[in-house]
């Protein structure tokens, strides 16, 4: 990526099969959303036969373009911001093909930290294992970078930023690898938040980070999870055991007591699964 004024310009946008899922991290206002939108526009322009704002762009044809960017509710339909986000994400997972191009911005941010991370983690795995489409996924969940160790088509990138004499400098450049930090407090200071509030936030952050180091962090235990496809197979196997047990029951020949015993047995079997 090369900087042009206050906007990104792609020198080389190549989402190959070996790296078709990009996980983009970095601070707010660093340009993650701009980078995602820019590449979606480049795909449209290129497929229409137009020039694109890049020195070089290798894209290939796409059958459909999907985006989940921005945050807004839908009061007319009674949908919260998070509900809209989930509906749109579900539609993408249901319709995207290996020839599609998808941009996803901050999936999971509209709910609690644990729920949001869990949803984002599962969506990344589903895109990688099932849809297998080309995708740019921007996130603040740095725990997701662990997936690069297990997902061969996932690569890590970040928007660059530096602190200079106590001030945050946003470089508007894309680099390889994960972001070293989120710079959240620096962005808050840049936005004009009072020094007292920022200082208090810094103290709270220190406590939270100490607790995270002591307990193993927010993503403790995630390394032991099987990949998406393996988890789906385990769940399906458990359902098959229940189906087999149900198929063996001769409901017409059972007494009320036998039926109750069978129900307790099936419930215990479901809890074990």
């Amino acid at each position: 990526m090369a900087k042009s004024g206050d906007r990104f310009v792609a020198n080389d946008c190549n989402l190959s099969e070996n790296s078709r899922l990009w996980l983009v991290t970095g601070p707010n206002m660093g340009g993650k959303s701009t980078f995602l939108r820019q590449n979606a526009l480049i795909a449209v322009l290129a497929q229409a036969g137009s020039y694109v704002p890049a020195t070089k762009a290798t894209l290939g044809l796409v059958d459909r373009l999907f985006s989940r960017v921005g945050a807004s509710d839908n009061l007319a339909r009674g949908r919260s911001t998070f509900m809209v986000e989930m509906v749109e994400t579900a539609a993408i997972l249901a319709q995207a093909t290996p020839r599609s191009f998808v941009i996803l911005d901050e999936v999971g941010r509209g709910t609690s930290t644990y729920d949001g991370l869990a949803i984002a983690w599962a969506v990344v795995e589903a895109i990688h294992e099932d849809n297998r489409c080309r995708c740019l996924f921007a996130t603040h969940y740095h725990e997701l970078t662990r997936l690069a160790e297990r997902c061969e088509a996932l690569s890590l990138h970040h928007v660059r930023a530096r602190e200079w004499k106590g001030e945050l400098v946003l470089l508007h450049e894309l680099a390889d690898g994960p972001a070293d930090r989120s710079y959240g407090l620096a962005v808050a200071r840049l936005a004009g938040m009072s020094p007292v509030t920022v200082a208090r936030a810094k103290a709270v952050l220190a406590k939270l980070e100490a607790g995270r180091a002591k307990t193993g962090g927010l993503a403790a235990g995630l390394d032991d999870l099987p990949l998406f496809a393996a988890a789906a197979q385990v769940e399906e196997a458990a359902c098959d055991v229940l189906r087999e047990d149900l198929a063996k029951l001769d409901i017409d020949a059972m007494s009320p007591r036998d039926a109750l015993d069978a129900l307790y047995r099936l419930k215990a079997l479901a809890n074990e699964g």
Side-chain angles (χ1 to χ4, degrees):
M1 299 296 295
K3 185 180 177 185
S4 175
D6 291 327
R7 301 193 307 174
F8 283 110
V9 177
N11 284 330
D12 188 358
C13 178
N14 188 357
L15 291 177
S16 65
E17 176 63 23
N18 293 331
S19 179
R20 51 182 163 77
L21 173 55
W22 285 21
L23 194 68
V24 184
T25 55
N28 282 306
M29 298 174 58
K32 298 189 300 296
S33 298
T34 300
F35 175 67
L36 266 59
R37 291 186 175 100
Q38 170 192 280
N39 280 279
L41 290 172
I42 285 176
V44 173
L45 289 170
Q47 196 148 318
S50 174
Y51 289 105
V52 300
T55 305
K56 176 183 178 183
T58 305
L59 292 172
L61 295 176
V62 297
D63 58 2
R64 276 173 283 187
L65 176 66
F66 296 96
S67 69
R68 161 84 283 277
V69 178
S72 61
D73 53 23
N74 189 331
L75 295 178
R77 295 188 177 183
R79 291 177 175 175
S80 66
T81 299
F82 179 65
M83 183 61 175
V84 171
E85 177 185 329
M86 290 298 97
V87 168
E88 293 180 356
T89 303
I92 292 172
L93 294 180
Q95 299 176 47
T97 73
R99 297 300 301 273
S100 300
F101 183 36
V102 176
I103 59 173
L104 295 169
D105 190 18
E106 302 290 354
V107 169
R109 64 182 168 183
T111 187
S112 71
T113 304
Y114 281 99
D115 284 355
L117 173 58
I119 291 170
W121 186 286
V123 169
V124 170
E125 287 189 339
I127 289 287
H128 184 274
E129 299 295 320
D130 291 346
N131 298 95
R132 305 185 68 81
C133 55
R134 286 166 287 179
C135 176
L136 299 176
F137 192 107
T139 185
H140 276 100
Y141 292 125
H142 293 275
E143 293 81 5
L144 294 179
T145 58
R146 297 187 182 190
L147 284 167
E149 301 172 3
R150 299 190 289 171
C151 299
E152 59 182 14
L154 185 150
S155 60
L156 303 178
H157 307 269
H158 69 279
V159 289
R160 297 182 61 210
R162 289 289 182 271
E163 283 193 272
W164 174 255
K165 296 182 179 179
E167 296 295 326
L168 180 65
V169 180
L170 301 169
L171 301 177
H172 296 112
E173 296 175 354
L174 193 77
D176 292 334
D180 56 350
R181 50 185 294 198
S182 64
Y183 296 99
L185 298 184
V187 172
R189 190 187 307 114
L190 186 65
M193 191 171 288
S194 69
V196 174
T197 305
V198 173
R200 176 58 177 167
K202 188 174 182 180
V204 173
L205 177 62
K207 287 286 187 181
L208 291 174
E209 289 182 337
R212 181 175 62 183
K214 184 177 180 180
T215 61
L218 177 64
L222 287 180
D223 291 333
D224 299 329
L225 276 175
L227 278 175
F228 184 84
Q233 291 171 2
V234 171
E235 183 178 345
E236 183 63 28
C239 292
D240 286 342
V241 173
L242 286 175
R243 292 193 187 101
E244 290 173 4
D245 245 34
L246 282 169
K248 294 176 183 177
L249 296 178
D250 186 357
I251 298 176
D252 294 329
M254 295 174 70
S255 67
R257 179 64 186 179
D258 291 337
L260 189 60
D261 290 341
L263 183 59
Y264 277 118
R265 187 176 69 255
L266 290 172
K267 182 178 180 181
L269 188 61
N271 290 335
E272 290 176 3

